Amino acid sequence: MSQSLSSSIEDYLEAILALTESGEPVRVTDVAKKLGIAKPSVTEAVRTLRDRGLVTQKPYGRIFLTAEGLMQSARVRKRHVVLRTFLQDVLGVNEEQAEIDACRIEHVVSTETMDKIVAFLEQDQTAGQQF
Amino acid sequence: MSQSLSSSIEDYLEAILALTESGEPVRVTDVAKKLGIAKPSVTEAVRTLRDRGLVTQKPYGRIFLTAEGLMQSARVRKRHVVLRTFLQDVLGVNEEQAEIDACRIEHVVSTETMDKIVAFLEQDQTAGQQF
DNA sequence: CAAAAATGTTAGTCACGCCTAACTATGATA
DNA sequence: TATCATAGTTAGGCGTGACTAACATTTTTG
């Protein structure tokens, strides 16, 4: 179950999570704006997410994360945050570029490497946060 | 000029560089074997590489890197090696996984972050090599 | 509450990157 | 040198993920 997600599907999930947390209902248009893509692309992606049980959406309705979708999107975001923190605080990459690189690396890096990065951050005082 | 290369094109370049260095003439079949894909996919990719001036190949002939292709493939491989070294020696990721992750990250990471990684390695005694 | 604006979907297209099947060319060898 | 194995290409197909144009549905508002 829960076969691995493509990069773009992970991006949709992450965007939907962020929008969900703003408290507002999540619309196709919002997702499209956030990701900088056209609305029909979102409609299509939402169908995929629905098929995988990650979101619910009635025709013309709002988008909601399922329990599974919430888990997955949180997982993706954790990777993102860990990577960005590592790039910024350990390597000294500037904020903007760290954000961009984290966005890309999060989709391809292994769980093992992520764990090692977390371990590195935990025993490193330059990084304030704990994971 | 030299617009950015897709992940798969970078993989082909890297494979062709490695085969070139073995001294043997580089054939479509060799590239296909090395990358674990079908021959027609290589034929097609080689056409793209030709169109971009990165390799030369006469019909049914061997594949040669141009000067530009040599530069580009060396650039890609340097990223790969730096990343693998970093993952292994700094983060302690095991050899096999470091190789896999380096393969993937090399295609998406920014020049700035690469530079920071090189800088990190240079002032770190656990990593023996210099870049 | 009817018209207009905003939102969402469908239909059709395209580029990429892979595949298999079938064909063509090359080169080794009997 | 004729044959046969090997190598390379062409043709056609498929999935992903984007796009635009056109249409359908809500929602807002005059």
Side-chain angles (χ1 to χ4, degrees):
Chain A
M1 64 214 53
S2 104
Q3 45 178 334
S4 75
L5 309 172
S6 72
S7 294
S8 82
I9 285 299
E10 287 189 347
D11 283 336
Y12 284 108
L13 265 186
E14 217 174 340
I16 292 168
L17 175 61
L19 290 166
T20 296
E21 286 174 340
S22 78
E24 298 294 303
V26 180
R27 301 171 308 169
V28 165
T29 296
D30 302 325
V31 177
K33 265 189 197 135
K34 184 154 194 92
L35 294 177
I37 61 180
K39 288 185 295 171
S41 308
V42 176
T43 296
E44 199 172 338
V46 167
R47 176 164 45 246
T48 301
L49 290 167
R50 235 192 289 114
D51 292 348
R52 298 208 186 178
L54 299 173
V55 304
T56 58
Q57 183 216 30
K58 288 181 212 156
Y60 296 93
R62 301 301 181 251
I63 301 163
F64 300 96
L65 288 166
T66 62
E68 175 70 16
L70 201 57
M71 255 183 40
Q72 294 293 328
S73 59
R75 179 186 58 77
V76 172
R77 188 171 56 188
K78 182 180 166 184
R79 287 168 162 254
H80 182 109
V81 172
V82 167
L83 281 165
R84 191 186 54 215
T85 302
F86 182 80
L87 293 174
Q88 262 189 263
D89 297 355
V90 176
L91 295 181
V93 177
N94 82 60
E95 190 174 340
E96 210 173 313
Q97 194 62 55
E99 175 63 25
I100 293 170
D101 282 29
C103 262
R104 293 184 179 164
I105 298 173
E106 67 182 287
H107 301 301
V108 301
V109 74
S110 68
T111 302
E112 183 190 338
T113 293
M114 281 308 303
D115 289 347
K116 299 289 189 185
I117 291 175
V118 169
F120 191 102
L121 286 174
E122 271 166 357
Q123 65 174 69
D124 187 77
Q125 61 267 43
T126 61
Q129 272 181 280
Q130 70 288 351
F131 297 97
Chain B
M1 66 210 53
S2 107
Q3 45 179 334
S4 76
L5 308 173
S6 72
S7 293
S8 83
I9 285 298
E10 287 189 346
D11 282 336
Y12 284 108
L13 265 187
E14 218 173 339
I16 292 169
L17 174 61
L19 291 167
T20 296
E21 286 174 339
S22 78
E24 297 294 304
V26 180
R27 301 172 307 170
V28 166
T29 296
D30 302 326
V31 177
K33 264 188 197 134
K34 183 154 194 92
L35 294 177
I37 61 180
K39 287 185 296 170
S41 306
V42 177
T43 295
E44 200 171 337
V46 167
R47 177 165 43 247
T48 302
L49 290 166
R50 234 192 292 114
D51 291 349
R52 298 209 187 178
L54 300 173
V55 303
T56 58
Q57 184 215 30
K58 288 180 213 158
Y60 295 93
R62 301 303 181 249
I63 302 162
F64 300 96
L65 289 167
T66 62
E68 175 70 15
L70 201 58
M71 254 181 43
Q72 295 293 327
S73 58
R75 179 186 58 77
V76 172
R77 189 173 55 191
K78 182 180 165 182
R79 286 168 163 254
H80 182 110
V81 173
V82 166
L83 281 164
R84 191 186 53 214
T85 302
F86 181 81
L87 293 174
Q88 260 189 265
D89 297 355
V90 176
L91 295 180
V93 177
N94 82 60
E95 190 174 340
E96 210 172 315
Q97 194 62 56
E99 176 63 25
I100 293 170
D101 282 28
C103 263
R104 294 184 180 164
I105 298 173
E106 66 182 286
H107 303 301
V108 301
V109 72
S110 68
T111 302
E112 183 190 339
T113 293
M114 281 308 304
D115 290 346
K116 299 289 190 185
I117 291 176
V118 169
F120 191 101
L121 285 174
E122 271 166 358
Q123 64 174 70
D124 187 75
Q125 61 269 41
T126 60
Q129 274 181 281
Q130 69 288 350
F131 298 96

